Amino acid sequence: MEVRMNSNALKLITGDITKQTTEAIVNAANGTLLGGGGVDGAIHRAAGKELVAECKKIREEVLGGDDLPTGEAVITNGYNLPAKYVIHTVGPIWHGNTQNEEALLANCYKHSLQLAQEKGMTSISFPSISTGVYRFPIDLAARTALKTIIHFLQHHSFGQVVMTLFSPEDYRVYESALQQLLEKQ
Ligand code: ADP
């Protein structure tokens, strides 16, 4: 499914984010930036060892040895990936929406898009942040992600944003959330 907004395109696809050829792909990282399971592990495996080395450097030199806070984003090269850059953002762990999880998830999308635009990029692919091990309910995650992306595209001239859903079930959730959001406009 693809929709146009101003001069921008928002596309939903089913696929593997490590294969995407947008200028940047987004990693649903954990705060350590040192790799993990799920999409994070897949991105690190496909990018090669240089990725974790650059992440370590950012952790030491930019973050003073601390974790990347939830909702924030940093950028590295993509190394062996088709994408030139990886934007690493930390999604919220779901605690029943008692800890501002919706706003934190929106920040992941907003800050990743802002960073991509600051770097002059015109295309980016996102995975479904927080809906795996972090257990954010996917219907609410889809609404939050798409609302944030749509708001950004309505106010900026960016280019192409691709939501790369890993399963047909996830794709259908995002598709119906997008249809509902468009009907409301
Ligand atoms: P989180 O810790 O943010 O929940 P996960 O990696 O556990 O992150 O899951 C986030 C989403 O990424 C899940 O929907 C999962 O199915 C999906 N995913 C896993 N591997 C890939 C991949 N290679 N490409 C795209 N999405 C993926």
Side-chain angles (χ1 to χ4, degrees), residues 9 14 16 20 25 35 52 56-57 65 85-87 90 127-128 132-133 138 140-141 144 165 172 180 182:
T14 307
D16 178 346
Q20 297 308 309
I25 62 169
V52 79
K56 269 187 191 153
K57 204 164 165 238
Y85 299 100
V86 180
I87 292 177
V90 183
S128 177
V133 174
I138 190 161
L140 181 58
T144 306
L165 291 326
R172 280 193 285 276
Q180 280 177 25
L182 295 174

Side-chain angles (χ1 to χ4, degrees), residues 132-145:
V133 174
Y134 284 0
R135 295 173 44 181
F136 200 112
I138 190 161
D139 44 355
L140 181 58
R143 272 205 305 281
T144 306

